[in-house]
Amino acid sequence: MKPLTFLPSLFTLLFILVSLHLSPSWAASDSVYDTFLQCLSRRSQPSDHISDIIYSPANSSFANVLTSYLRNRRFNSSSTPKPLVIVTPKQESHVQAAILCSKDLGVHLKIRSGGHDYEGMSYVSVDAFFILDMFNLRSIDVDIQKETAWVQAGATLGELYYGIWKKSKVHGFPAGVCTVLGIGGHLSGGGYGNMLRKYGLSADNVLDAKIVDVQGRILDRKAMGEDLFWAILGGGGASFGVILAYQIKLVPVPEKVTVFRVERTLDQNATDLVYKWQSVAPSTDSGLFMRLSLLPTSSQTQKGQLTIGASLVALYLGNSDQLLAITDKEFPEIGLRKENCTEISWIESVLWWIGFDNGTFPAPETLLSRDYPAIFFKRKSDYVQTPIAKANLEWLWKKMIEVEKVGLSLNPYGGRMSEIPASATPFPHRAGNLFKIQYFIDWKEEDPEAGKKYLAQISRLYSYMTPFVSKNPRSAFLNYRDLDIGATTNGNNSYEEGRVYGVKYFNDNFERLVKVKTAVDPNNFFRNEQSIPTLPK
Ligand SMILES: Cc1cc2nc3c(=O)[nH]c(=O)nc-3n(C[C@H](O)[C@H](O)[C@H](O)COP(=O)(O)OP(=O)(O)OC[C@H]3O[C@@H](n4cnc5c(N)ncnc54)[C@H](O)[C@@H]3O)c2cc1C
Ligand SMILES: *[C@@H]1O[C@H](CO)[C@@H](O)[C@H](O)[C@H]1NC(C)=O
Ligand SMILES: *[C@@H]1O[C@H](CO)[C@@H](O)[C@H](O)[C@H]1NC(C)=O
Ligand SMILES: *[C@@H]1O[C@H](CO)[C@@H](O)[C@H](O)[C@H]1NC(C)=O
Ligand SMILES: *[C@@H]1O[C@H](CO)[C@@H](O)[C@H](O)[C@H]1NC(C)=O
Ligand SMILES: *[C@@H]1O[C@H](CO)[C@@H](O)[C@H](O)[C@H]1NC(C)=O
Ligand SMILES: *[C@@H]1O[C@H](CO)[C@@H](O)[C@H](O)[C@H]1NC(C)=O
């Protein structure tokens, strides 16, 4: 069957059932389940107990499996399309079978590792679909002698950080701050965290990978070739195959690192701090990462008024004396003193960054928890290449206060990020970028009208920012998935549609990604609403 195009899901479902010569009935998805199960059974050993790893909506644990790795409540409503089946492979051969059987049935396959996709792209689709859920494939094999590790796609960052810490107190890995992120999505989308100025992205520290391609073959770096290997270091795995594991290079971390936090509001000269931050944070010592978050907040001095709260949160890969030597010289505006600095081990800094910042650290085993409270949220991204003038910052504060609930999180680049050429990986946002902005808004109201209001707020602030951010294209970060910047229905115009968001995420690397895609998956089996298209026929 040819790849399905953009059709309402019920229609698609009927279409599949007709093609399978089944009669549509309320047991509809059970029939798909049966066919899929038979196919998987044919392709596996009886000892695999394949029925234990596939869930149809009729299984009592279906809803639980579906929402265990659902992080954005926007995609947990009764109107959100649900998968026909969820497959939870326990070994690599199950992944191979799931791909081949989805292909046989002509059903769209969504791949999920940690489920953190901002737009729910790993578990929602307008087409009828299956979910291949990788959470059982989570082994981590750290080789301290070689300073490398193999990590399976379904492992979380917390499990990886913990696994490294068990073997060495002076090694780490540069990846995201949120420890519940999945390796599969995070690394294939680039992945960054608070060591990016020293060591670059997660994807910059990958040595090898294992992927299952559209023919069901397991390929390592040598077998897949350098083009495909390049593509899955920031181009998003889901356009190319199912990533089973990455081999990563560990990085050295000092026995003691230093963290600190500085908070200011407008009447405490926050504007001066933000203005100065724009030139210091991207150019200072690469061991110093200072994230700056800006959020409208209640004023302490003027009752009932909003001000802007600026919160600087930092990691320094060294001790506090070394840090103060830098900040005293380059950033006296923050008034940092020794008593404001906390010297801790690297693994404690991981805990500090996820919120254990009151002086007592739980055991590192805390990082093995996969619990994460799902909330309603929306994120967007931008890149800033020239500092925003003070007068413009002051204008921006007014707009943020007017919009009310949207925050900006500014992440400085520079350091190692500027040394790596823009074409080294699909992720192009290197030299020339001072910082990335993440727009954020979270809410609790179930009411869809409230949701619409908040989505409109974030779009408004994004539009106010137009003069200050990158242009032609207005760039965006793939891991901060944003469907507002373009989408494809994977029909006949997929290349033109794909170019719209593709050049924003990948700039000049987009065309190379299209070439790789066309070579490895010409029939576009691995696709989603923002996947890499094939070349037009
Ligand atoms: C709370 C929170 C904090 C975050 N913090 C950071 C951060 O500090 N730094 C950062 O860079 N990003 C951050 N992100 C974004 C995050 O990196 C991306 O959402 C990332 O894609 C998550 O990976 P995942 O496996 O958890 O997601 P999933 O939703 O499972 O997958 C994301 C995408 O990757 C595809 N995919 C997943 N697994 C595979 C696989 N095995 N093979 C092929 N394709 C696959 C999916 O189909 C989907 O398209 C954060 C997100 C959240 C929600
Ligand atoms: C789902 O339900 C079917 C039918 O009751 C059962 O055979 C199968 O084992 C269940 N699957 C799981 C993973 O529980
Ligand atoms: C999703 O919705 C269901 C039904 O309302 C609810 O039971 C479940 O807790 C929700 N899960 C998440 C992660 O929000
Ligand atoms: C703000 O700046 C003024 C003028 O430079 C200075 O006198 C004052 O101490 C600063 N306030 C803070 C909280 O840094
Ligand atoms: C540093 O600590 C001192 C003493 O506790 C405090 O008064 C000051 O506000 C702190 N400065 C910062 C930048 O947090
Ligand atoms: C720090 O926070 C933890 C977890 O929230 C809490 O259990 C602990 O009591 C707190 N410790 C202090 C000193 O406040
Ligand atoms: C796509 O193009 C083919 C060949 O030109 C045509 O037959 C088909 O109808 C088109 N599909 C859509 C959805 O427009």
Side-chain angles (χ1 to χ4, degrees), residues 130-173:
F130 296 157
I131 293 178
L132 179 67
D133 208 329
M134 301 290 283
F135 65 84
N136 284 322
L137 295 174
R138 56 168 86 167
S139 75
I140 295 171
D141 187 5
V142 178
D143 185 336
I144 279 298
Q145 247 59 54
K146 294 204 182 105
E147 303 185 294
T148 61
W150 273 103
V151 195
Q152 281 189 309
T156 64
L157 294 184
E159 289 161 357
L160 172 61
Y161 297 155
Y162 177 81
I164 298 170
W165 173 80
K166 282 289 261 187
K167 297 258 173 103
S168 163
K169 309 298 178 255
V170 291
H171 286 86
F173 186 68

Side-chain angles (χ1 to χ4, degrees), residues 33 37 50-56 58-61 88:
Y33 167 87
L37 178 60
I50 211 82
S51 69
D52 292 352
I53 64 156
I54 106 164
Y55 300 81
S56 84
N59 277 100
S60 54
S61 33
T88 61

Side-chain angles (χ1 to χ4, degrees), residues 260-264 334-341:
F260 69 89
R261 177 192 305 273
V262 172
E263 283 172 350
R264 291 288 166 76
I334 57 175
L336 192 70
R337 292 194 270 154
K338 187 132 177 150
E339 65 260 34
N340 307 121
C341 300

Side-chain angles (χ1 to χ4, degrees), residues 71 156 158-159 179-180 364-372:
R71 308 305 189 185
T156 64
E159 289 161 357
T179 50
V180 194
E365 280 70 21
T366 304
L367 298 172
L368 303 178
S369 165
R370 289 173 166 240
D371 293 341
Y372 191 81

